[in-house]
Amino acid sequence: MQDRVARSRRGLFRGVLTATAGALSLLALSTGPSAADISGGVVRIGVINDQSGPLSDLAGLGSVVAARLAVEDFQKLASLKVEILSADHQNKADIGTQIVRRWYEADGVDMVADVGNSAVALGIQSIARQMNKIVVYSAVGTTEITGKQCSPNGLAWLHDNYNLVAGSIRKLVGQGLKTWFFIAADYAFGRNMVAESERVLAEVGGKSVGTVFHPLGNADYGSFLLQAQSSGAKVVAFANAGEQLVTAMKQWNEFGMGAGPQKAVAELMFLTDVHGMGMETAKGLTTVTAWYWDLNDATRAFAKRFFDARGVMPTAPQAAVYSAVFHYLKAVAAIGSDDTARVLDRMRATPVDDFFAPGATLRADNKLVHDFYLVQVKEPTELEKPWAYYKVVETISAKDAYRPLSESDCPLVTAAGK
């Protein structure tokens, strides 16, 4: 923990990060908007997430760094003043909504990025809709954001809980691992992830034999692990993330459960979680991710830049923040305005063009549709270079990774005629 806090204090970007105008390089943007075309003469983007608690390593101030890198790259294409604001919502919905309301009302923020906590996201979704502003989510798992509570103003850039659980559940149940026990975080994310898991299990012939919910930031998982052990389930699935997953998996090994008959599955795991628990603890764990820094030359190039700025490799949420900010800014430049409706139309009409999800597009429920990867943590002896913790087991194509629009309960899809 001390190492993480120390890292978070070194070379960090706090408050407002103001980028200066860069040279024009692409004809399509060479006649971009002047200050007069932009409200207040500046495009303001707010990055809000957990910057001091159990979810801070996976996004946190690293997401602010990613947004800054996106601004730097954008300003090689267009001359436009951009400011990045950042804030810590402390995983509290009331704090998060107060900050975002002030950003929209008083501070001239045009677009909010990241968020990272499902309960906070549901509150921000309502404010963005009311005030006709844009919010783009990265590590927000609840399917409500693009389901019953979807909004024209809220875009899901990274994943939802269905993306995260469907592929691995189908694969493992197909291998005979049909009984599951869940250890889950007791807030909107964890409860939604368990509900999605149980729905998929029922579809493929599996069965949930029990669930226990723990408080956010819990430190002692002993009683929960013993309940999982006594359930006799073939799979113990962890529906938590960040420090919660790291602590739970360390205690799983301390209890000797790693050598037992039950298989542990991390339904949501980030690169920083593996780094935090160590490969000896994490080895063999499987998870689904939308992005990994060591996939190809383009992802590795971004990872090097991020590492140089931050001292750690980027997670999938941080890469998604870069992509969302870059795509948003290009839309603003292309239309010459920060008008919400027009920018959203442009973002939907234009495929993503970056290392995160090349060619990805937004569908009617405002999910960015892209491939996912089923990955497994390597054995310590397999590690060839620092941070290269995953081996890709299989690619889950975009057409298989998402619940069909025909099953969507998003009012936007209904209005479009699903």
Side-chain angles (χ1 to χ4, degrees):
M1 174 67 75
Q2 290 178 344
D3 289 344
R4 179 178 63 76
V5 172
R7 289 198 311 270
S8 71
R9 289 175 177 170
R10 292 198 298 266
L12 300 180
F13 300 86
R14 294 186 180 275
V16 178
L17 300 174
T18 304
T20 58
L24 304 177
S25 64
L26 289 186
L27 180 62
L29 299 179
S30 63
T31 57
S34 67
D37 300 314
I38 304 297
S39 56
V42 59
V43 177
R44 291 190 176 90
I45 298 170
V47 178
I48 187 168
N49 52 30
D50 174 4
Q51 298 182 3
S52 56
L55 307 179
S56 56
D57 279 351
L58 63 91
L61 285 157
S63 290
V64 183
V65 171
R68 177 178 176 268
L69 292 174
V71 172
E72 289 179 0
D73 287 348
F74 166 74
Q75 291 185 323
K76 297 171 185 176
L77 310 179
S79 179
L80 183 65
K81 186 176 182 182
V82 183
E83 292 180 355
I84 303 292
L85 285 68
S86 70
D88 182 354
H89 58 44
Q90 302 172 46
N91 294 304
K92 296 178 180 178
D94 57 341
I95 292 176
T97 53
Q98 287 171 12
I99 291 169
V100 171
R101 184 176 293 279
R102 184 183 71 245
W103 277 354
Y104 286 153
E105 286 184 340
D107 296 336
V109 167
D110 301 289
M111 178 267 224
V112 166
D114 202 3
V115 185
N117 177 298
S118 291
V120 179
L122 290 169
I124 292 174
Q125 180 89 323
S126 177
I127 293 172
R129 181 191 295 112
Q130 293 168 10
M131 303 190 68
N132 193 29
K133 296 286 188 174
I134 297 173
V135 54
V136 185
Y137 305 102
S138 61
V140 171
T142 178
T143 55
E144 292 291 306
I145 283 291
T146 52
K148 292 180 180 178
Q149 298 194 43
C150 71
S151 161
N153 303 72
L155 314 179
W157 217 254
L158 181 63
H159 62 222
D160 66 19
N161 285 337
Y162 179 86
N163 301 140
L164 295 170
V165 306
S168 58
I169 287 176
R170 290 191 182 105
K171 187 175 184 68
L172 293 172
V173 170
Q175 295 173 352
L177 301 174
K178 295 186 176 183
T179 54
W180 290 53
F181 186 95
F182 296 90
I183 297 176
D186 190 11
Y187 69 108
F189 157 74
R191 291 189 172 274
N192 180 262
M193 176 164 269
V194 171
E196 290 297 319
S197 299
E198 290 176 339
R199 186 188 324 192
V200 177
L201 278 171
E203 291 174 356
V204 298
K207 180 181 179 182
S208 170
V209 297
T211 303
V212 62
F213 292 96
H214 63 77
L216 183 65
N218 190 65
D220 184 0
Y221 292 84
S223 64
F224 308 133
L225 292 169
L226 290 174
Q227 289 180 62
Q229 189 176 50
S230 64
S231 73
K234 291 185 177 182
V235 174
V236 178
F238 293 86
N240 53 20
E243 281 184 10
Q244 304 161 102
L245 178 64
V246 170
T247 303
M249 288 309 305
K250 285 181 176 179
Q251 292 176 16
W252 165 274
N253 275 11
E254 289 168 4
F255 279 40
M257 295 176 70
Q262 294 174 304
K263 179 177 179 58
V265 172
E267 294 202 296
L268 176 60
M269 182 168 68
F270 299 102
L271 193 73
T272 45
D273 299 338
V274 177
H275 191 75
M277 68 180 77
M279 288 192 72
E280 191 61 38
T281 296
K283 63 183 180 183
L285 273 175
T286 58
T287 196
V288 172
T289 183
W291 186 85
Y292 173 44
W293 74 268
D294 201 23
L295 286 173
N296 53 55
D297 288 345
T299 60
R300 286 187 283 271
F302 170 75
K304 183 182 184 305
R305 292 176 62 204
F306 186 93
F307 187 91
D308 289 345
R310 179 74 175 148
V312 296
M313 284 299 184
T315 63
Q318 290 159 347
V321 167
Y322 171 100
S323 177
V325 169
F326 191 53
H327 194 69
Y328 168 79
L329 288 172
K330 288 197 296 182
V332 171
I335 66 171
S337 171
D338 59 355
D339 176 77
T340 294
R342 293 177 61 200
V343 171
L344 285 169
D345 285 346
R346 180 72 183 191
M347 291 177 74
R348 294 188 183 101
T350 309
V352 168
D353 181 20
D354 60 33
F355 64 85
F356 172 72
T361 56
L362 286 159
R363 69 180 193 179
D365 57 358
N366 277 343
K367 292 179 183 177
L368 186 71
V369 179
H370 47 72
D371 292 345
F372 283 77
Y373 305 91
L374 178 63
V375 298
Q376 185 174 39
V377 179
K378 298 174 182 176
E379 294 285 332
T381 56
E382 296 178 292
L383 188 66
E384 298 176 347
K385 54 187 174 183
W387 292 92
Y389 297 133
Y390 294 154
K391 52 185 174 184
V392 177
V393 177
E394 66 179 69
T395 299
I396 305 170
S397 67
K399 67 182 180 61
D400 296 325
Y402 293 81
R403 177 171 285 119
L405 277 176
S406 60
E407 300 175 11
S408 175
D409 52 5
C410 168
L412 299 174
V413 176
T414 304
K418 64 182 180 183

